[in-house]
Amino acid sequence: MIQMAPLIRADLEGLDARDALAPLRERFTLPEGILYLDGNSLGALPKATAARVAQVIEAEWGKDLIKGWRQHGWMALPSRVGEKIARLVGAEPGQVVAVDTTSINLFKLLAAALRLKPGRKTILSEAGNFPTDLYIAQGLAELLGSGYRLRLVEKDEILDAIDGDVAVVSLTHVDFKTAEIHDMAGITAHAQAKGALMLWDLCHSAGAVPVALDRCRADLAVGCGYKYLNGGPGAPAFLYVARRLQEALEQPLTGWLGHADPFAFEPHYRPAAGIARTVCSTPSVLGLAALECGVDAMLAADFAALNAKSTALTELFIRLIEERCSTFGFTLASPREAVRRGSQVSLRHRDGYAIVQALIARGVIGDFRAPDYMRFGFAPVYLRYVDVWDAVEHLRRVMAEAAWQRAEFQSRAAVT
Amino acid sequence: MIQMAPLIRADLEGLDARDALAPLRERFTLPEGILYLDGNSLGALPKATAARVAQVIEAEWGKDLIKGWRQHGWMALPSRVGEKIARLVGAEPGQVVAVDTTSINLFKLLAAALRLKPGRKTILSEAGNFPTDLYIAQGLAELLGSGYRLRLVEKDEILDAIDGDVAVVSLTHVDFKTAEIHDMAGITAHAQAKGALMLWDLCHSAGAVPVALDRCRADLAVGCGYKYLNGGPGAPAFLYVARRLQEALEQPLTGWLGHADPFAFEPHYRPAAGIARTVCSTPSVLGLAALECGVDAMLAADFAALNAKSTALTELFIRLIEERCSTFGFTLASPREAVRRGSQVSLRHRDGYAIVQALIARGVIGDFRAPDYMRFGFAPVYLRYVDVWDAVEHLRRVMAEAAWQRAEFQSRAAVT
């Protein structure tokens, strides 16, 4: 994309000037003096959010009170926001709802998967999966007893480990530490050929990398609203169930809003038709209103262009690290090949924790994951090419000046 | 409290003028021309909420982004708001968190209760319990199989039904249809004497009637944030686990934020100490910030005075119905004895649905529950004595003019 002589900042100003996606940045509030490379952990604030949430509070709840449930479509929010997220993850309508949390949705769908595959007792995952995914599977297996188990293998052992006892393979599409992308189509096909269901966690994918759930014939998926979907801290999550599985799907969190007729107040649960049976409780109206603003900001963009920019930003970061920080002992933990990498670059360094703290002190917000991963997320909706230059320049100075050796950056007491 | 001659509106103006709690009403936004008797379904909007949520969005999330988790105490919200709710339900510190939804919290605690009582296979509840409580118990029993079951009995059969197979008795403290209050201390003691655990659903109690979880030696409880706690539509819920049970408690929704050390990212779940192990996911920051405003409004009141006013309002409503609406065929479905009645009065009438619609058209917001219950909630924080008079007067006119017979009030299409 760029000439091969060492880059200078002006090159990147040129890229920004020609960037058709640049106006998207105006949809977000970004604090002065901050280079925010942590949208993979908590997305930035869309400018529309504050006014929309204020409207829900003051004009809807405040003025119409209980009538808001119908008058303002609150009851339909899980479905309405879910359908919008569906467009970001390659799902036809009627298969996604925005509801509850990633962990809770995972519990619902893993439990449902085990019931769809009677006789099979294993949930298969990888040892490096995001911990909550493992904890939830452990909690479910322990609750069920009777030989149900979570089996953990290394990334390169997954395909071989899918045997006749595996009911469901549960993987995170983009690795939270390294941003490595799993081959969704290939692993899904392999799992299904072995008689297992395939569940994808899209926490680090939705809004960040191309996802084609339907085309890959995924069975089940969950994902997060507060990372690349910019829904705000603790935003509701989402889940996907392929249409072909929905009528047989029995999930155990059978709350009243997943009932076929919630306001009939029948004493016995009858699941709603279709994806609605995965809803459990009264929806979080404030949370869903904020999430919808974040999703709308993503839908305003051409998604192919967004993915191309995401790749360009991470490529650029890696190239600049190679050109300008090659002597500081960083190891690239993310795949060098762009197509195998999410919208994040991870570097490993023995002193990664202190380096991240020193960067934060300079206004460059990345994060650290034990034992030695420095994570830098590149949300293409609000980051510029010059931001990548400036972040690398801050990192170069931190290293050149050995700033990270100062005592205040060494203390682990401040770990987030 | 009042002279025995038939009341006139001026009597009630006098009560309002002397009401020490009257200033509390100023903490709420109440739309002009509306008599809101549905705080038992969705509480009114505290005036503090909009500004507080705007602050979280703009000043916390918008300015500090990921740093908000520590800088603004977001991670501590489940505990901070939980401790405030604890004061409303008679719980010493360290036993309540505000988190997830009522249904999900119920699932956690029912599953935990079954594990605490191995060998016992029955969840006992009453047929008239709020449906989501029954659905969740059914969902859990079906998931577990192996003879686990939900057994439903009538209200007057509960005590006798607690046999050696009952692991947990799950009841809603204040009946959602009739506002009848269960004897928390008596049933709890009886259940425990029979070797069962006692779980109370406080959805229609918290913020509405005196609750003394610790003094009644309750084991477990759940409750709702969007009714009398005024947390807003779909607000987070809460749960209580008596301290003596916490270290043995194993709940199955073992998400990362219930882990002993979430940011160590260990592959195996280790429960956090104490009540924190009942937290599952990243907390809903917007939802909890709004809920905290609602709870703060309740904590601003003297709770004994609040309960006395709640009783006085429902007494007054019943008396005025008797004095002014005795010829219209209403049956009182709530207990006549104040101490056995929550902060709500239910009337039964064959045409209850249409009558409620006709009242709503006049700005009197109650609600309807099949087959023939008209529910009127009396939130003492924002209702006046004259509001009760005016509501009854509207009802009297609807009945006297047979307004409810008009076609637009008969259609069931509009049921909420």
mmCIF file with all atom_site columns, all heavy atoms in Angstrom, chain A residues 64-76:
data_model
loop_
_atom_site.group_PDB
_atom_site.id
_atom_site.type_symbol
_atom_site.label_atom_id
_atom_site.label_alt_id
_atom_site.label_comp_id
_atom_site.label_asym_id
_atom_site.label_entity_id
_atom_site.label_seq_id
_atom_site.pdbx_PDB_ins_code
_atom_site.Cartn_x
_atom_site.Cartn_y
_atom_site.Cartn_z
_atom_site.occupancy
_atom_site.B_iso_or_equiv
_atom_site.pdbx_formal_charge
_atom_site.auth_seq_id
_atom_site.auth_comp_id
_atom_site.auth_asym_id
_atom_site.auth_atom_id
_atom_site.pdbx_PDB_model_num
ATOM 1   N N   . ASP A 1 64 ? -43.831 8.704  29.659 1.00 0.00 ? 64 ASP A N   1
ATOM 2   C CA  . ASP A 1 64 ? -44.820 7.668  29.324 1.00 0.00 ? 64 ASP A CA  1
ATOM 3   C C   . ASP A 1 64 ? -44.794 6.477  30.267 1.00 0.00 ? 64 ASP A C   1
ATOM 4   O O   . ASP A 1 64 ? -45.637 5.581  30.147 1.00 0.00 ? 64 ASP A O   1
ATOM 5   C CB  . ASP A 1 64 ? -44.631 7.229  27.872 1.00 0.00 ? 64 ASP A CB  1
ATOM 6   C CG  . ASP A 1 64 ? -44.941 8.366  26.913 1.00 0.00 ? 64 ASP A CG  1
ATOM 7   O OD1 . ASP A 1 64 ? -45.985 9.026  27.125 1.00 0.00 ? 64 ASP A OD1 1
ATOM 8   O OD2 . ASP A 1 64 ? -44.161 8.613  25.995 1.00 0.00 ? 64 ASP A OD2 1
ATOM 9   N N   . LEU A 1 65 ? -43.822 6.435  31.149 1.00 0.00 ? 65 LEU A N   1
ATOM 10  C CA  . LEU A 1 65 ? -43.793 5.426  32.209 1.00 0.00 ? 65 LEU A CA  1
ATOM 11  C C   . LEU A 1 65 ? -44.070 4.033  31.634 1.00 0.00 ? 65 LEU A C   1
ATOM 12  O O   . LEU A 1 65 ? -43.453 3.653  30.640 1.00 0.00 ? 65 LEU A O   1
ATOM 13  C CB  . LEU A 1 65 ? -44.794 5.839  33.306 1.00 0.00 ? 65 LEU A CB  1
ATOM 14  C CG  . LEU A 1 65 ? -44.371 7.121  34.052 1.00 0.00 ? 65 LEU A CG  1
ATOM 15  C CD1 . LEU A 1 65 ? -45.556 7.853  34.661 1.00 0.00 ? 65 LEU A CD1 1
ATOM 16  C CD2 . LEU A 1 65 ? -43.372 6.749  35.154 1.00 0.00 ? 65 LEU A CD2 1
ATOM 17  N N   . ILE A 1 66 ? -44.954 3.285  32.247 1.00 0.00 ? 66 ILE A N   1
ATOM 18  C CA  . ILE A 1 66 ? -45.172 1.891  31.845 1.00 0.00 ? 66 ILE A CA  1
ATOM 19  C C   . ILE A 1 66 ? -45.579 1.763  30.378 1.00 0.00 ? 66 ILE A C   1
ATOM 20  O O   . ILE A 1 66 ? -45.297 0.748  29.733 1.00 0.00 ? 66 ILE A O   1
ATOM 21  C CB  . ILE A 1 66 ? -46.228 1.241  32.772 1.00 0.00 ? 66 ILE A CB  1
ATOM 22  C CG1 . ILE A 1 66 ? -46.330 -0.264 32.548 1.00 0.00 ? 66 ILE A CG1 1
ATOM 23  C CG2 . ILE A 1 66 ? -47.599 1.886  32.608 1.00 0.00 ? 66 ILE A CG2 1
ATOM 24  C CD1 . ILE A 1 66 ? -45.139 -1.038 33.067 1.00 0.00 ? 66 ILE A CD1 1
ATOM 25  N N   . LYS A 1 67 ? -46.228 2.798  29.836 1.00 0.00 ? 67 LYS A N   1
ATOM 26  C CA  . LYS A 1 67 ? -46.678 2.711  28.448 1.00 0.00 ? 67 LYS A CA  1
ATOM 27  C C   . LYS A 1 67 ? -45.506 2.660  27.463 1.00 0.00 ? 67 LYS A C   1
ATOM 28  O O   . LYS A 1 67 ? -45.669 2.286  26.310 1.00 0.00 ? 67 LYS A O   1
ATOM 29  C CB  . LYS A 1 67 ? -47.590 3.896  28.108 1.00 0.00 ? 67 LYS A CB  1
ATOM 30  C CG  . LYS A 1 67 ? -48.950 3.805  28.800 1.00 0.00 ? 67 LYS A CG  1
ATOM 31  C CD  . LYS A 1 67 ? -49.906 4.890  28.327 1.00 0.00 ? 67 LYS A CD  1
ATOM 32  C CE  . LYS A 1 67 ? -49.532 6.242  28.923 1.00 0.00 ? 67 LYS A CE  1
ATOM 33  N NZ  . LYS A 1 67 ? -50.473 7.325  28.560 1.00 0.00 ? 67 LYS A NZ  1
ATOM 34  N N   . GLY A 1 68 ? -44.324 3.038  27.955 1.00 0.00 ? 68 GLY A N   1
ATOM 35  C CA  . GLY A 1 68 ? -43.143 2.998  27.093 1.00 0.00 ? 68 GLY A CA  1
ATOM 36  C C   . GLY A 1 68 ? -42.873 1.640  26.487 1.00 0.00 ? 68 GLY A C   1
ATOM 37  O O   . GLY A 1 68 ? -42.330 1.540  25.387 1.00 0.00 ? 68 GLY A O   1
ATOM 38  N N   . TRP A 1 69 ? -43.250 0.581  27.196 1.00 0.00 ? 69 TRP A N   1
ATOM 39  C CA  . TRP A 1 69 ? -42.951 -0.762 26.682 1.00 0.00 ? 69 TRP A CA  1
ATOM 40  C C   . TRP A 1 69 ? -43.519 -0.976 25.293 1.00 0.00 ? 69 TRP A C   1
ATOM 41  O O   . TRP A 1 69 ? -42.879 -1.594 24.447 1.00 0.00 ? 69 TRP A O   1
ATOM 42  C CB  . TRP A 1 69 ? -43.463 -1.849 27.644 1.00 0.00 ? 69 TRP A CB  1
ATOM 43  C CG  . TRP A 1 69 ? -42.597 -1.957 28.856 1.00 0.00 ? 69 TRP A CG  1
ATOM 44  C CD1 . TRP A 1 69 ? -42.902 -1.572 30.124 1.00 0.00 ? 69 TRP A CD1 1
ATOM 45  C CD2 . TRP A 1 69 ? -41.255 -2.453 28.902 1.00 0.00 ? 69 TRP A CD2 1
ATOM 46  N NE1 . TRP A 1 69 ? -41.827 -1.799 30.955 1.00 0.00 ? 69 TRP A NE1 1
ATOM 47  C CE2 . TRP A 1 69 ? -40.821 -2.333 30.247 1.00 0.00 ? 69 TRP A CE2 1
ATOM 48  C CE3 . TRP A 1 69 ? -40.379 -2.982 27.952 1.00 0.00 ? 69 TRP A CE3 1
ATOM 49  C CZ2 . TRP A 1 69 ? -39.535 -2.727 30.650 1.00 0.00 ? 69 TRP A CZ2 1
ATOM 50  C CZ3 . TRP A 1 69 ? -39.107 -3.379 28.356 1.00 0.00 ? 69 TRP A CZ3 1
ATOM 51  C CH2 . TRP A 1 69 ? -38.700 -3.244 29.673 1.00 0.00 ? 69 TRP A CH2 1
ATOM 52  N N   . ARG A 1 70 ? -44.739 -0.429 25.067 1.00 0.00 ? 70 ARG A N   1
ATOM 53  C CA  . ARG A 1 70 ? -45.276 -0.584 23.709 1.00 0.00 ? 70 ARG A CA  1
ATOM 54  C C   . ARG A 1 70 ? -45.074 0.658  22.868 1.00 0.00 ? 70 ARG A C   1
ATOM 55  O O   . ARG A 1 70 ? -44.683 0.586  21.720 1.00 0.00 ? 70 ARG A O   1
ATOM 56  C CB  . ARG A 1 70 ? -46.760 -0.949 23.769 1.00 0.00 ? 70 ARG A CB  1
ATOM 57  C CG  . ARG A 1 70 ? -46.935 -2.397 24.270 1.00 0.00 ? 70 ARG A CG  1
ATOM 58  C CD  . ARG A 1 70 ? -48.284 -2.955 23.919 1.00 0.00 ? 70 ARG A CD  1
ATOM 59  N NE  . ARG A 1 70 ? -49.312 -2.137 24.496 1.00 0.00 ? 70 ARG A NE  1
ATOM 60  C CZ  . ARG A 1 70 ? -50.245 -1.502 23.802 1.00 0.00 ? 70 ARG A CZ  1
ATOM 61  N NH1 . ARG A 1 70 ? -50.266 -1.612 22.492 1.00 0.00 ? 70 ARG A NH1 1
ATOM 62  N NH2 . ARG A 1 70 ? -51.145 -0.782 24.410 1.00 0.00 ? 70 ARG A NH2 1
ATOM 63  N N   . GLN A 1 71 ? -45.296 1.810  23.497 1.00 0.00 ? 71 GLN A N   1
ATOM 64  C CA  . GLN A 1 71 ? -45.265 3.038  22.718 1.00 0.00 ? 71 GLN A CA  1
ATOM 65  C C   . GLN A 1 71 ? -43.889 3.310  22.120 1.00 0.00 ? 71 GLN A C   1
ATOM 66  O O   . GLN A 1 71 ? -43.780 3.864  21.042 1.00 0.00 ? 71 GLN A O   1
ATOM 67  C CB  . GLN A 1 71 ? -45.642 4.200  23.645 1.00 0.00 ? 71 GLN A CB  1
ATOM 68  C CG  . GLN A 1 71 ? -46.777 5.026  23.131 1.00 0.00 ? 71 GLN A CG  1
ATOM 69  C CD  . GLN A 1 71 ? -47.384 5.839  24.273 1.00 0.00 ? 71 GLN A CD  1
ATOM 70  O OE1 . GLN A 1 71 ? -48.227 5.367  25.040 1.00 0.00 ? 71 GLN A OE1 1
ATOM 71  N NE2 . GLN A 1 71 ? -46.941 7.064  24.402 1.00 0.00 ? 71 GLN A NE2 1
ATOM 72  N N   . HIS A 1 72 ? -42.852 2.945  22.834 1.00 0.00 ? 72 HIS A N   1
ATOM 73  C CA  . HIS A 1 72 ? -41.497 3.237  22.358 1.00 0.00 ? 72 HIS A CA  1
ATOM 74  C C   . HIS A 1 72 ? -40.734 1.978  21.953 1.00 0.00 ? 72 HIS A C   1
ATOM 75  O O   . HIS A 1 72 ? -39.524 2.017  21.790 1.00 0.00 ? 72 HIS A O   1
ATOM 76  C CB  . HIS A 1 72 ? -40.740 4.032  23.417 1.00 0.00 ? 72 HIS A CB  1
ATOM 77  C CG  . HIS A 1 72 ? -41.412 5.326  23.740 1.00 0.00 ? 72 HIS A CG  1
ATOM 78  N ND1 . HIS A 1 72 ? -41.517 6.351  22.817 1.00 0.00 ? 72 HIS A ND1 1
ATOM 79  C CD2 . HIS A 1 72 ? -42.068 5.762  24.841 1.00 0.00 ? 72 HIS A CD2 1
ATOM 80  C CE1 . HIS A 1 72 ? -42.191 7.361  23.352 1.00 0.00 ? 72 HIS A CE1 1
ATOM 81  N NE2 . HIS A 1 72 ? -42.542 7.026  24.577 1.00 0.00 ? 72 HIS A NE2 1
ATOM 82  N N   . GLY A 1 73 ? -41.466 0.887  21.822 1.00 0.00 ? 73 GLY A N   1
ATOM 83  C CA  . GLY A 1 73 ? -40.840 -0.317 21.287 1.00 0.00 ? 73 GLY A CA  1
ATOM 84  C C   . GLY A 1 73 ? -39.769 -0.926 22.182 1.00 0.00 ? 73 GLY A C   1
ATOM 85  O O   . GLY A 1 73 ? -38.904 -1.661 21.715 1.00 0.00 ? 73 GLY A O   1
ATOM 86  N N   . TRP A 1 74 ? -39.819 -0.658 23.498 1.00 0.00 ? 74 TRP A N   1
ATOM 87  C CA  . TRP A 1 74 ? -38.781 -1.215 24.382 1.00 0.00 ? 74 TRP A CA  1
ATOM 88  C C   . TRP A 1 74 ? -38.744 -2.740 24.309 1.00 0.00 ? 74 TRP A C   1
ATOM 89  O O   . TRP A 1 74 ? -37.675 -3.343 24.358 1.00 0.00 ? 74 TRP A O   1
ATOM 90  C CB  . TRP A 1 74 ? -39.030 -0.805 25.832 1.00 0.00 ? 74 TRP A CB  1
ATOM 91  C CG  . TRP A 1 74 ? -38.927 0.654  26.106 1.00 0.00 ? 74 TRP A CG  1
ATOM 92  C CD1 . TRP A 1 74 ? -38.353 1.614  25.315 1.00 0.00 ? 74 TRP A CD1 1
ATOM 93  C CD2 . TRP A 1 74 ? -39.409 1.335  27.278 1.00 0.00 ? 74 TRP A CD2 1
ATOM 94  N NE1 . TRP A 1 74 ? -38.454 2.841  25.930 1.00 0.00 ? 74 TRP A NE1 1
ATOM 95  C CE2 . TRP A 1 74 ? -39.093 2.709  27.125 1.00 0.00 ? 74 TRP A CE2 1
ATOM 96  C CE3 . TRP A 1 74 ? -40.067 0.915  28.432 1.00 0.00 ? 74 TRP A CE3 1
ATOM 97  C CZ2 . TRP A 1 74 ? -39.411 3.649  28.103 1.00 0.00 ? 74 TRP A CZ2 1
ATOM 98  C CZ3 . TRP A 1 74 ? -40.385 1.861  29.400 1.00 0.00 ? 74 TRP A CZ3 1
ATOM 99  C CH2 . TRP A 1 74 ? -40.064 3.211  29.237 1.00 0.00 ? 74 TRP A CH2 1
ATOM 100 N N   . MET A 1 75 ? -39.930 -3.336 24.238 1.00 0.00 ? 75 MET A N   1
ATOM 101 C CA  . MET A 1 75 ? -39.976 -4.798 24.273 1.00 0.00 ? 75 MET A CA  1
ATOM 102 C C   . MET A 1 75 ? -39.301 -5.410 23.051 1.00 0.00 ? 75 MET A C   1
ATOM 103 O O   . MET A 1 75 ? -38.820 -6.529 23.088 1.00 0.00 ? 75 MET A O   1
ATOM 104 C CB  . MET A 1 75 ? -41.444 -5.232 24.377 1.00 0.00 ? 75 MET A CB  1
ATOM 105 C CG  . MET A 1 75 ? -41.681 -6.519 25.120 1.00 0.00 ? 75 MET A CG  1
ATOM 106 S SD  . MET A 1 75 ? -40.938 -6.572 26.761 1.00 0.00 ? 75 MET A SD  1
ATOM 107 C CE  . MET A 1 75 ? -42.362 -6.273 27.808 1.00 0.00 ? 75 MET A CE  1
ATOM 108 N N   . ALA A 1 76 ? -39.302 -4.634 21.966 1.00 0.00 ? 76 ALA A N   1
ATOM 109 C CA  . ALA A 1 76 ? -38.722 -5.137 20.721 1.00 0.00 ? 76 ALA A CA  1
ATOM 110 C C   . ALA A 1 76 ? -37.220 -4.874 20.615 1.00 0.00 ? 76 ALA A C   1
ATOM 111 O O   . ALA A 1 76 ? -36.590 -5.269 19.631 1.00 0.00 ? 76 ALA A O   1
ATOM 112 C CB  . ALA A 1 76 ? -39.438 -4.492 19.535 1.00 0.00 ? 76 ALA A CB  1
#
